[in-house]
Amino acid sequence: MAQPIPVEPFDLIIFGGNGDLALRKLLPALYYRHCDNQFSQDSRIIAIGRSAMLGNSYIDKVREALIDGLGNLEGDKFKLFADRLHYFHFDISQLDSWSPLVDSLVGHENKIRVVYLATPPSLFGPVATGFKVKNLMTENIRIVLEKPLGYNYESAKAINDEVGACFQENQIFRIDH
Protein backbone atom coordinates (compact mmCIF):
# COMPACT_ATOMS: atom_id res chain seq x y z
CA MET A 1 0.00 0.00 0.00
CA ALA A 2 1.25 3.47 -0.83
CA GLN A 3 2.37 5.61 2.09
CA PRO A 4 1.02 9.18 2.18
CA ILE A 5 3.77 11.78 2.09
CA PRO A 6 3.31 14.58 4.64
CA VAL A 7 3.48 18.09 3.23
CA GLU A 8 5.34 21.06 4.67
CA PRO A 9 3.42 23.42 6.98
CA PHE A 10 1.10 25.67 4.99
CA ASP A 11 -1.63 28.26 5.15
CA LEU A 12 -4.25 27.64 2.48
CA ILE A 13 -6.43 30.72 2.04
CA ILE A 14 -9.61 29.92 0.11
CA PHE A 15 -11.42 32.97 -1.24
CA GLY A 16 -14.98 31.80 -1.85
CA GLY A 17 -14.60 29.41 1.09
CA ASN A 18 -18.33 29.42 1.71
CA GLY A 19 -19.25 28.59 -1.88
CA ASP A 20 -20.21 25.44 -3.72
CA LEU A 21 -16.73 24.71 -5.11
CA ALA A 22 -15.13 24.91 -1.67
CA LEU A 23 -17.82 22.97 0.16
CA ARG A 24 -18.40 20.21 -2.42
CA LYS A 25 -14.90 19.74 -3.87
CA LEU A 26 -12.03 21.44 -2.06
CA LEU A 27 -12.87 20.78 1.58
CA PRO A 28 -13.75 17.09 1.06
CA ALA A 29 -10.42 16.58 -0.73
CA LEU A 30 -8.61 18.39 2.08
CA TYR A 31 -10.48 16.32 4.67
CA TYR A 32 -9.28 13.09 3.01
CA ARG A 33 -5.69 14.35 3.06
CA HIS A 34 -6.11 15.30 6.72
CA CYS A 35 -7.43 11.80 7.50
CA ASP A 36 -4.34 10.34 5.80
CA ASN A 37 -2.15 12.40 8.16
CA GLN A 38 -0.60 14.35 5.32
CA PHE A 39 -0.83 17.74 7.04
CA SER A 40 1.60 19.01 9.62
CA GLN A 41 0.04 19.96 12.93
CA ASP A 42 0.35 23.70 12.29
CA SER A 43 -1.09 23.73 8.77
CA ARG A 44 -4.20 25.87 8.48
CA ILE A 45 -7.13 26.29 6.11
CA ILE A 46 -8.42 29.85 6.13
CA ALA A 47 -11.73 30.41 4.36
CA ILE A 48 -12.82 33.85 3.21
CA GLY A 49 -16.45 34.53 2.39
CA ARG A 50 -18.97 37.32 2.02
CA SER A 51 -21.43 35.88 4.56
CA ALA A 52 -21.12 36.77 8.21
CA MET A 53 -21.15 33.59 10.28
CA LEU A 54 -21.16 33.59 14.05
CA GLY A 55 -19.52 31.10 16.37
CA ASN A 56 -19.14 27.67 14.86
CA SER A 57 -21.58 28.30 12.00
CA TYR A 58 -18.88 27.80 9.37
CA ILE A 59 -17.63 24.60 11.02
CA ASP A 60 -21.22 23.30 11.15
CA LYS A 61 -21.71 24.15 7.48
CA VAL A 62 -18.49 22.31 6.53
CA ARG A 63 -19.51 19.28 8.63
CA GLU A 64 -22.91 19.15 6.88
CA ALA A 65 -21.27 19.47 3.45
CA LEU A 66 -18.81 16.67 4.24
CA ILE A 67 -21.56 14.37 5.52
CA ASP A 68 -23.68 15.12 2.42
CA GLY A 69 -20.78 14.32 0.12
CA LEU A 70 -18.88 11.62 2.00
CA GLY A 71 -21.37 10.04 4.37
CA ASN A 72 -20.28 9.41 7.94
CA LEU A 73 -17.14 11.15 9.15
CA GLU A 74 -14.39 9.17 10.85
CA GLY A 75 -14.49 9.36 14.67
CA ASP A 76 -12.59 12.32 16.06
CA LYS A 77 -10.99 13.12 12.70
CA PHE A 78 -13.48 15.87 11.94
CA LYS A 79 -12.83 17.65 15.23
CA LEU A 80 -9.12 17.73 14.46
CA PHE A 81 -9.87 18.89 10.91
CA ALA A 82 -12.19 21.60 12.26
CA ASP A 83 -9.35 22.84 14.47
CA ARG A 84 -7.48 23.71 11.24
CA LEU A 85 -10.39 25.73 9.85
CA HIS A 86 -10.66 29.49 10.26
CA TYR A 87 -13.32 31.67 8.66
CA PHE A 88 -13.30 35.41 7.97
CA HIS A 89 -15.85 37.45 6.11
CA PHE A 90 -15.06 40.74 4.46
CA ASP A 91 -15.47 42.66 1.23
CA ILE A 92 -12.47 41.75 -0.92
CA SER A 93 -12.63 45.06 -2.78
CA GLN A 94 -12.37 47.08 0.45
CA LEU A 95 -8.70 46.81 1.47
CA ASP A 96 -9.38 48.35 4.88
CA SER A 97 -11.58 45.31 5.70
CA TRP A 98 -8.68 42.83 5.25
CA SER A 99 -7.36 43.29 8.82
CA PRO A 100 -8.57 39.95 10.23
CA LEU A 101 -6.79 38.04 7.46
CA VAL A 102 -3.65 40.18 7.69
CA ASP A 103 -3.52 39.70 11.47
CA SER A 104 -3.96 35.93 11.14
CA LEU A 105 -1.01 35.65 8.72
CA VAL A 106 1.45 37.67 10.82
CA GLY A 107 4.10 35.33 12.20
CA HIS A 108 3.43 32.66 9.56
CA GLU A 109 5.59 34.11 6.79
CA ASN A 110 7.85 31.03 6.61
CA LYS A 111 5.01 28.65 5.80
CA ILE A 112 3.96 27.85 2.28
CA ARG A 113 1.11 30.25 1.55
CA VAL A 114 -1.44 29.21 -1.07
CA VAL A 115 -4.14 31.65 -2.18
CA TYR A 116 -6.96 29.68 -3.82
CA LEU A 117 -9.49 31.72 -5.75
CA ALA A 118 -12.82 29.92 -5.91
CA THR A 119 -14.47 33.20 -6.88
CA PRO A 120 -15.74 34.86 -10.03
CA PRO A 121 -12.85 35.87 -12.34
CA SER A 122 -13.67 39.54 -11.74
CA LEU A 123 -12.20 39.14 -8.22
CA PHE A 124 -8.89 37.55 -9.25
CA GLY A 125 -7.16 40.89 -9.79
CA PRO A 126 -8.50 42.57 -6.63
CA VAL A 127 -7.38 39.61 -4.47
CA ALA A 128 -3.91 39.54 -6.04
CA THR A 129 -3.64 43.30 -5.59
CA GLY A 130 -4.81 42.99 -1.97
CA PHE A 131 -2.00 40.57 -1.18
CA LYS A 132 0.56 42.91 -2.70
CA VAL A 133 -0.80 46.11 -1.12
CA LYS A 134 -1.19 44.47 2.31
CA ASN A 135 2.41 43.16 2.19
CA LEU A 136 1.29 39.54 2.38
CA MET A 137 3.65 38.38 -0.36
CA THR A 138 6.28 35.86 0.72
CA GLU A 139 8.90 33.80 -1.08
CA ASN A 140 6.67 30.74 -0.63
CA ILE A 141 3.39 32.21 -1.87
CA ARG A 142 1.37 30.76 -4.72
CA ILE A 143 -1.97 31.71 -6.22
CA VAL A 144 -4.46 29.31 -7.80
CA LEU A 145 -6.98 30.72 -10.26
CA GLU A 146 -10.07 28.50 -10.42
CA LYS A 147 -12.90 28.95 -12.91
CA PRO A 148 -12.83 30.20 -16.48
CA LEU A 149 -10.13 32.83 -16.88
CA GLY A 150 -12.30 35.44 -18.49
CA TYR A 151 -14.98 35.31 -21.15
CA ASN A 152 -12.83 35.95 -24.20
CA TYR A 153 -9.20 36.60 -25.11
CA GLU A 154 -9.26 40.24 -24.00
CA SER A 155 -10.77 39.56 -20.57
CA ALA A 156 -8.43 36.60 -19.99
CA LYS A 157 -5.44 38.78 -20.90
CA ALA A 158 -6.64 41.54 -18.55
CA ILE A 159 -6.98 39.05 -15.65
CA ASN A 160 -3.56 37.55 -16.34
CA ASP A 161 -1.98 41.00 -16.55
CA GLU A 162 -3.55 42.13 -13.27
CA VAL A 163 -2.55 38.97 -11.40
CA GLY A 164 0.87 39.00 -13.11
CA ALA A 165 1.52 42.52 -11.81
CA CYS A 166 1.50 41.06 -8.29
CA PHE A 167 2.67 37.45 -8.65
CA GLN A 168 5.53 36.00 -10.66
CA GLU A 169 4.56 33.52 -13.36
CA ASN A 170 6.05 30.57 -11.42
CA GLN A 171 3.74 31.46 -8.51
CA ILE A 172 0.54 31.35 -10.59
CA PHE A 173 -1.41 28.12 -11.12
CA ARG A 174 -4.40 28.16 -13.44
CA ILE A 175 -7.27 25.69 -13.42
CA ASP A 176 -9.62 26.43 -16.30
CA HIS A 177 -12.76 24.52 -17.23
Side-chain angles (χ1 to χ4, degrees):
M1 177 183 272
Q3 290 293 322
I5 299 171
V7 297
E8 294 180 46
F10 65 85
D11 283 334
L12 172 62
I13 304 123
I14 304 172
F15 284 81
N18 196 23
D20 188 60
L21 175 64
L23 293 171
R24 288 188 341 106
K25 301 291 184 185
L26 300 177
L27 290 164
L30 292 164
Y31 178 73
Y32 278 135
R33 298 216 44 200
H34 164 81
C35 289
D36 283 342
N37 298 314
Q38 290 187 282
F39 297 155
S40 63
Q41 185 174 349
D42 58 344
S43 291
R44 301 182 302 168
I45 301 166
I46 302 168
I48 310 298
R50 292 181 293 180
S51 302
M53 300 186 128
L54 302 174
N56 287 328
S57 297
Y58 183 71
I59 302 296
D60 294 341
K61 188 169 189 165
V62 170
R63 180 187 299 109
E64 289 173 22
L66 291 177
I67 289 171
D68 285 348
L70 308 176
N72 290 330
L73 304 178
E74 295 183 38
D76 291 333
K77 296 264 184 176
F78 181 78
K79 182 190 179 327
L80 296 172
F81 182 70
D83 290 343
R84 293 185 190 288
L85 297 175
H86 306 272
Y87 180 80
F88 299 112
H89 81 281
F90 57 87
D91 182 346
I92 293 167
S93 65
Q94 299 298 315
L95 291 176
D96 59 344
S97 69
W98 282 54
S99 296
L101 176 61
V102 172
D103 294 345
S104 75
L105 294 175
V106 170
H108 296 270
E109 292 81 6
N110 291 328
K111 287 184 185 178
I112 294 170
R113 186 173 288 175
V114 179
V115 181
Y116 198 110
L117 301 180
T119 65
S122 61
L123 296 177
F124 292 0
V127 171
T129 300
F131 270 80
K132 186 173 183 179
V133 169
K134 290 297 187 176
N135 297 315
L136 297 174
M137 304 299 285
T138 66
E139 287 186 28
N140 293 320
I141 195 167
R142 292 136 174 89
I143 189 165
V144 180
L145 311 179
E146 173 75 34
K147 304 263 190 194
L149 299 177
Y151 306 101
N152 55 31
Y153 174 77
E154 290 79 21
S155 63
K157 184 173 179 344
I159 290 168
N160 279 310
D161 289 348
E162 195 171 3
V163 172
C166 304
F167 287 82
Q168 297 174 23
E169 185 59 34
N170 66 348
Q171 297 172 314
I172 303 170
F173 297 81
R174 297 169 183 85
I175 302 172
D176 200 352
H177 306 184

